[in-house]
Amino acid sequence: MLRMKRLPIKWKSLSLIAKSKTMNIKEQPFYYQATIKLLLAGLIIAFLILAQNILIPLTVAVFFTFLLMPVSRRLESWKFPKSLAILISIILAFILVAIVFYFFVDQILSFTNDWPVLEKTLETKWESLTQFISETFHISRIEQKAWLTTKIKENASTGGVLVLGLFSATTSFLASFALIPIYVFFLTLYQDKIKEFIRLITKEDKNEHVLFIVKEVSVVSQKYVMGIFLDVIILSILNSTGFLILGLPHAILFGVLASVLNIIPYIGVLIGSTLPILMALLTKDSMSYAIAAGAICVVVQFLDNNFITPYVVGSSVSINPLTATIVLIASSLIWGIPGMVLCLPLTGMAKVVCDHVDSLKPYGFLLGEEVNFNEQKKAQDKIIRKFIKRPGNQAGINKH
């Protein structure tokens, strides 16, 4: 009986010791803190990889929710029921996506119909290339053909596995993304419930500050998605016009494709510029056409970086190039191509959170393009004070 009475005291003391150790993690040595942080980062990365079929569509749905929220609110102001307003906004977005999809399918089918002619041109260009290699490097055509045949055989089995894996991944991708409209509907429908949940899980004196951060994140997301959409339209017009003047076959397809690939930082620009140059090399006899196609891409990219993007997208995602490069590589390893597309807006959202949480402000400064931390902090504090002093927000504070 004595042992049974002492047992609760022993367990209580152990729990107090564990609690004191947990509370004093910041007082532990650097290697201890670093180990804990590395383990936590590893667990987060593993979770992101394992749950990507759920997280990627959900993340896309969050961006679409922010984008379509003004549409549904406008419909509600016209006396539409909330559910119907959300449904109409989703249908409008679906129609727009269907139009874009139809355009690409039509252009690709047109390109496929012209493939026999392009194939003959490619054979002629290949003959010229092998002749050049033979005369310059003294490698006979037979040796070139033997080397090419060997490489094709070596990569045949790998290519089959890659095609099968790509088909499987595409099927899974489409099945997961079919859930996006459902996510968008319920995220928009329960936005007030989510706000109230945020109020309940935060301290009473921090409610308005947290809601301000959420509002800033939504503004960044909405401005980025809308800005990118307008940016793609403008770049598509500029690229297509340039390629049409140049007389490049399928100029509109390559112009729009280069503009869409521009969404992916750095790598997308490179791929989007390479495709029209290759088409010019394939279909034109003079090298000047390929140079002109490259010049068009360079000029359009210059206009985009210095005039179009700053005006249309603005500084909503002001991430410095070093951070953007690291995030791009890391996201491509974790989520593949969707990660490369989503990495910048997600990093921008993370920066907004860091900028408005005192303990994380140095990290927000590291992510951004600012050069003076004190000036950045003063500007953010000024914005927060203005938000808190608004009559509606002050009433919210008094209410809670």
Side-chain angles (χ1 to χ4, degrees):
M1 294 296 291
L2 290 173
R3 289 181 181 178
M4 293 299 292
K5 289 180 180 178
R6 289 177 183 176
L7 191 60
I9 299 174
K10 185 176 180 181
W11 280 109
K12 185 176 180 180
S13 62
L14 288 173
S15 65
L16 288 173
I17 292 171
K19 186 177 181 180
S20 63
K21 288 185 177 181
T22 304
M23 292 174 64
N24 296 326
I25 287 179
K26 293 183 178 180
E27 300 177 2
Q28 299 297 330
F30 171 77
Y31 67 86
Y32 181 85
Q33 296 183 38
T35 303
I36 295 297
K37 290 178 181 178
L38 287 174
L39 287 174
L40 181 61
L43 289 173
I44 292 173
I45 292 173
F47 173 73
L48 291 174
I49 295 173
L50 293 174
Q52 60 180 317
N53 288 336
I54 297 174
L55 294 178
I56 294 176
L58 184 60
T59 304
V60 175
V62 169
F63 285 115
F64 270 102
T65 301
F66 289 143
L67 185 62
L68 297 178
M69 203 173 287
V71 179
S72 60
R73 285 175 179 171
R74 176 59 63 89
L75 291 173
E76 286 182 54
S77 67
W78 293 344
K79 307 302 180 182
F80 279 85
K82 186 172 184 178
S83 299
L84 182 60
I86 298 170
L87 188 60
I88 292 174
S89 65
I90 293 174
I91 291 172
L92 292 174
F94 180 80
I95 292 172
L96 184 62
V97 172
I99 292 172
V100 174
F101 182 76
Y102 174 79
F103 168 80
F104 273 106
V105 170
D106 181 66
Q107 291 293 317
I108 291 171
L109 288 176
S110 176
F111 180 80
T112 305
N113 293 332
D114 292 343
W115 177 248
V117 178
L118 294 174
E119 189 176 12
K120 291 179 181 179
T121 308
L122 181 61
E123 290 176 358
T124 305
K125 297 286 185 181
W126 177 253
E127 288 293 330
S128 301
L129 179 62
T130 54
Q131 181 67 27
F132 173 78
I133 294 174
S134 178
E135 293 176 355
T136 306
F137 301 101
H138 305 290
I139 302 173
S140 66
R141 294 187 178 184
I142 297 174
E143 291 175 336
Q144 295 178 43
K145 187 176 181 180
W147 178 83
L148 185 62
T149 304
T150 304
K151 290 300 179 181
I152 291 174
K153 288 181 179 179
E154 288 177 357
N155 297 319
S157 58
T158 307
V161 174
L162 288 174
V163 170
L164 183 62
L166 180 63
F167 177 77
S168 177
T170 304
T171 305
S172 176
F173 175 83
L174 293 175
S176 300
F177 270 66
L179 297 173
I180 289 179
I182 300 174
Y183 289 147
V184 172
F185 180 84
F186 287 112
L187 286 172
T188 311
L189 183 65
Y190 293 122
Q191 56 180 302
D192 295 331
K193 192 178 185 69
I194 295 172
K195 287 181 182 178
E196 187 62 27
F197 169 75
I198 293 172
R199 289 183 184 275
L200 292 173
I201 64 174
T202 55
K203 294 181 180 179
E204 189 173 353
D205 57 337
K206 297 289 184 180
N207 279 344
E208 297 303 322
H209 184 71
V210 173
L211 288 175
F212 170 75
I213 295 175
V214 174
K215 183 180 179 181
E216 285 292 298
V217 168
S218 67
V219 168
V220 166
S221 306
Q222 184 181 6
K223 189 175 181 181
Y224 178 80
V225 175
M226 194 64 190
I228 286 296
F229 179 73
L230 294 175
D231 187 52
V232 167
I233 293 175
I234 295 171
L235 292 185
S236 298
I237 295 172
L238 293 176
N239 284 324
S240 300
T241 303
F243 296 152
L244 284 170
I245 294 173
L246 195 61
L248 198 67
H250 306 284
I252 297 177
L253 173 62
F254 286 107
V256 176
L257 192 59
S259 305
V260 172
L261 289 173
N262 192 57
I263 297 174
I264 302 175
Y266 309 123
I267 297 175
V269 175
L270 180 62
I271 297 173
S273 302
T274 303
L275 293 176
I277 294 173
L278 290 176
M279 178 57 69
L281 287 172
L282 183 61
T283 58
K284 301 296 182 179
D285 296 329
S286 176
M287 181 68 71
S288 60
Y289 286 94
I291 296 173
I296 290 171
C297 295
V298 170
V299 170
V300 171
Q301 195 60 40
F302 173 80
L303 293 174
D304 180 48
N305 292 337
N306 293 279
F307 301 100
I308 301 172
T309 297
Y311 180 76
V312 175
V313 181
S315 58
S316 55
V317 187
S318 56
I319 305 300
N320 65 68
L322 175 61
T323 301
T325 304
I326 295 173
V327 168
L328 177 67
I329 296 171
S331 59
S332 66
L333 295 175
I334 295 173
W335 279 359
I337 294 177
M340 296 170 72
V341 175
L342 297 171
C343 64
L344 276 190
L346 288 176
T347 307
M349 292 167 68
K351 184 182 182 304
V352 170
V353 175
C354 292
D355 286 343
H356 294 91
V357 177
D358 291 335
S359 60
L360 300 177
K361 282 184 177 180
Y363 298 100
F365 175 74
L366 182 64
L367 293 174
E369 294 182 328
E370 302 85 355
V371 294
N372 192 314
F373 180 73
N374 292 326
E375 290 182 3
Q376 177 198 7
K377 187 176 179 181
K378 289 178 182 178
Q380 291 164 359
D381 292 341
K382 186 177 180 180
I383 293 172
I384 292 174
R385 284 196 299 270
K386 285 184 178 180
F387 179 81
I388 297 298
K389 287 180 180 179
R390 288 179 184 176
N393 297 324
Q394 190 65 40
I397 294 173
N398 296 333
K399 181 179 178 181
H400 289 275

